[in-house]
Amino acid sequence: MQFNSHMDTALSEARLAAERGEVPVGAAIADAKGRLVAQAGNRMRELKDPTAHAEIAVIRAACDKLKTERLQGFSLYVTLEPCAMCAGAVAAARIARLYYGAADPKSGGVAHGAKVFTHPQCHHVPEIYDGISAEASENLLRQFFRDRRADKAKT
Amino acid sequence: MQFNSHMDTALSEARLAAERGEVPVGAAIADAKGRLVAQAGNRMRELKDPTAHAEIAVIRAACDKLKTERLQGFSLYVTLEPCAMCAGAVAAARIARLYYGAADPKSGGVAHGAKVFTHPQCHHVPEIYDGISAEASENLLRQFFRDRRADKAKT
């Protein structure tokens, strides 16, 4: 199914992020016809930019490519539940549908914490589909933190 | 007083934003010794980037300048209450103190709506000082929207 293929793209971006030493989160954006428009992974460490989460990066990439500030009708796929910052960016960009993988009880801002889309004040609420390829996403994150702990234990 | 001088810098960035046709919001970041490190205004329209709010722009500019992903001990000054996205970015950057001007019941995410810093899950909560130069900030916003309505009425 189409949403699985775009989530696969997001997962491959998460894997590339891990190879760069970043927390493995990846994202993709597709247009209303389901065509892939942009893909990105976390680059906070590399760019020394705390806002360079996969979701922010992929929204900026899609908007830059299409020369638009609004992604009405577009879908965003991300391997992990967005944090409050990224959920706010999804609303600002007017993303129509948000598909995410693993839940993030620690830092998520959609189903947890600030629950950015649940407030009557929120200008724009996307359709939300959670748990898409959640296991693959969780495995990537688990492996990344396991490796990092092992590396720390060695030093 | 020092925080007034940095808020003046933020206000001047808000004025420049208005001149560019952007919603007039400006921001500044100072280091732990009170020295100005970066300043920025809204550039969403110009850059076709829905994430290019003044706060995101100034955090990115400060981190880029200092080659760091964390602004521990730093203060952020912004003329309007940050939205959920920008409040999340303030937490992600570990900003120590947040000074803001006008309250934003419509889009704010600090004292309104998602109230990003009020959740036990929030990793980092800055000291928050609101209402700094609020009247000047409100006047700028009011004038901007008044002018825009007048322009629309003409067409």
Side-chain angles (χ1 to χ4, degrees), chain B residues 42-104:
Chain B
N42 275 353
R43 288 191 185 268
M44 294 89 79
R45 300 293 108 78
E46 177 190 351
L47 301 178
K48 306 279 182 209
D49 178 355
T51 75
H53 287 199
E55 300 95 314
I56 301 277
V58 81
I59 288 171
R60 298 184 73 216
C63 289
D64 186 54
K65 187 171 174 181
L66 303 169
K67 304 294 168 216
T68 178
E69 205 193 322
R70 297 271 186 267
L71 296 169
Q72 277 139 337
F74 287 64
S75 299
L76 190 147
Y77 300 78
V78 57
T79 57
L80 184 66
E81 179 185 343
C83 71
M85 173 177 74
C86 293
V90 163
R94 308 289 191 270
I95 297 279
R97 284 165 298 278
L98 168 63
Y99 298 85
Y100 70 83
D104 188 357

Side-chain angles (χ1 to χ4, degrees), chain A residues 10 12 23 25 27-28 38-39 44 54 58 62 78 82 88-89 94 105 114-115 121 135 147 153 155:
Chain A
S12 71
V23 174
V25 180
Q39 58 192 84
M44 293 90 80
V58 81
V78 57
R94 308 289 191 271
K115 296 183 183 171
Q121 175 233 44
E135 199 180 327
D147 291 350
T155 57

Side-chain angles (χ1 to χ4, degrees), chain B residues 103-123:
Chain B
D104 188 357
K106 195 163 156 266
S107 304
V110 176
H112 298 92
K115 295 183 182 173
V116 166
F117 301 119
T118 64
H119 304 280
Q121 173 234 44
C122 187
H123 300 314

